[in-house]
Amino acid sequence: MDKIKITGGRQLCGEVDISGAKNAALPLIASSILVKGKICFTNVPDLMDITSIRLLLEDLGATCKASKNYLEVDGSSINKIEAEYDLVRKMRASILVLCPLVARFGHAKVSLPGGCAIGARPVNMHLAGLEALGASIKIDHGYIEAKASRLIGNDIYFDMPTVTGTENLMMAASLAKGTSVLRNAAREPEIVALADALNKMGAKIKGAGTTIITIEGVKTLSPVDIKIIPDRIETGTFMVAAAATGGDILIKGCEPDHIGGIINKLKSTGTIVKSFTDSIRIISNKPIKSVDIKTLPYPGFPTDMQAQFMTLMTIANGNSVIHESIFENRFIHANELLRMGANISISSGNVAMVRGVKKLQAAQVMASDLRASASLVIAGLVADGTTIISRIYHMDRGYEAIEKKFSLLGAKIERIS
Ligand code: EPU
């Protein structure tokens, strides 16, 4: 299995290009189930998760053609409504095929995603919403089976904002009869990107990006071309890496409007952040000041940046309180950072106190999930000596060519077997 080897201590300098967003690409690719015809996606990140959703669509019968950062999906040939365990277990976001299958074919059987390292991650709100649109739902032998001759528009209230739940139900309601209103909806840029694409296909969605989304159902949707928006979490990861290493980098092809929460916190650490139309410059030439963080649904500080910020706080001047409010078990990286000389104590499961230390020390560490692996890469970049990170298949799920991008910025980093 591949590992990442990093010799720390180099300041990052130069320019880096941001890839398309994994979490925007996954629902957009799933939305091609709704359409009879060919959808062409550009700026598609080259990631394991993208391969997983493509293989799932191919298993359903879709015709796909993939080349570098490009994917074509023709859903006309879909002839199967069952998403099997072996495909779904590799990626929880496979649940995103549930609503499009029911909306187009009136029937879906999707393996129930299990828990994952960061939390139990139930899908009850996806199912309650689909039921509210008139589907009958049965859980049987580990599979969700949903049926509805045609979905009927309704009011859906989410107990808490759910990103993929909002996306799934936006897709379902697009082909339902009548009007649906999603209340307490998630507001992430990925939801706006999906609504924009569905509207381009002929859907009638208003309010995406706010907590109330209104969807007037239509009978059919038509194929279009879709460009994936830039990855805001990859952008944030490079911002934090530059700040941690005392670097000066220009991050190109990003969307500064999508990362206000990250920019705000990074500025509070004393890092200089200059935003342009589609790029951001990070200059870090002073000691990092400690800041407190609480993860929240968008536009709050993203849970997907919590691990990377925790690494930054391990070398900050002073103490930082980090409160993870989205997932119940998203501090696994803290134990690995402790092995690198960080001073972190965790109380009540979801609050961590990070006391800044002068230096991290290189060690052999293990990635436990996607964003944890990014936090360990940043730790390796600043640590004294050579760090080896194992289980980097987690990182390959969501960061395109990360070691190449860091190398171009001057880091001593390589993939080893
Ligand atoms: N939740 C429920 N019931 C549901 C759905 C969610 O209780 O039916 C809970 C979750 O357990 C969690 C909270 O609601 O406590 C929010 O979860 P959400 O549904 O918003 O998460 P998700 O849609 O499963 C997406 C991203 C995650 C990201 C979260 C939060 C995708 C494919 N995944 O997950 O991305 O952390 O939103 O922003 O969009 C990552 O990229 O590393 C990643 C984990």
Side-chain angles (χ1 to χ4, degrees), residues 329-388:
N329 195 28
R330 212 171 194 184
F331 280 151
I332 309 176
H333 47 278
N335 291 321
E336 299 304 294
L337 292 171
L338 286 177
R339 301 191 59 254
M340 298 180 75
N343 184 343
I344 305 169
S345 44
I346 295 175
S347 60
S348 73
N350 62 358
V351 178
M353 164 69 89
V354 186
R355 296 178 176 85
V357 296
K358 285 226 158 62
K359 265 267 160 219
L360 291 180
Q361 304 145 15
Q364 292 189 33
V365 288
M366 204 160 70
S368 52
D369 68 79
L370 170 57
R371 308 304 169 187
S373 56
S375 76
L376 296 177
V377 169
I378 298 170
L381 292 173
V382 296
D384 259 347
T386 299
T387 294
I388 308 274

Side-chain angles (χ1 to χ4, degrees), residues 45-59:
D46 185 9
L47 301 170
M48 277 309 297
D49 274 12
I50 301 298
T51 306
S52 298
I53 192 110
R54 175 174 60 76
L55 292 176
L56 173 51
L57 289 186
E58 282 176 345
D59 192 61

Side-chain angles (χ1 to χ4, degrees), residues 148-205:
S149 51
R150 180 158 183 213
L151 295 169
I152 314 274
N154 202 349
D155 250 40
I156 293 168
Y157 187 92
F158 294 111
D159 289 342
M160 65 178 109
T162 158
V163 176
T164 48
T166 302
E167 291 162 351
N168 234 339
L169 288 155
M170 227 162 57
M171 292 191 276
S174 292
L175 287 185
K177 185 166 188 261
T179 302
S180 301
V181 183
L182 309 185
R183 297 179 196 275
N184 200 20
R187 291 179 280 168
E188 272 68 2
E190 293 74 23
I191 285 160
V192 178
L194 177 63
D196 288 347
L198 292 169
N199 282 339
K200 214 170 148 190
M201 294 176 198
K204 293 187 176 164
I205 303 174

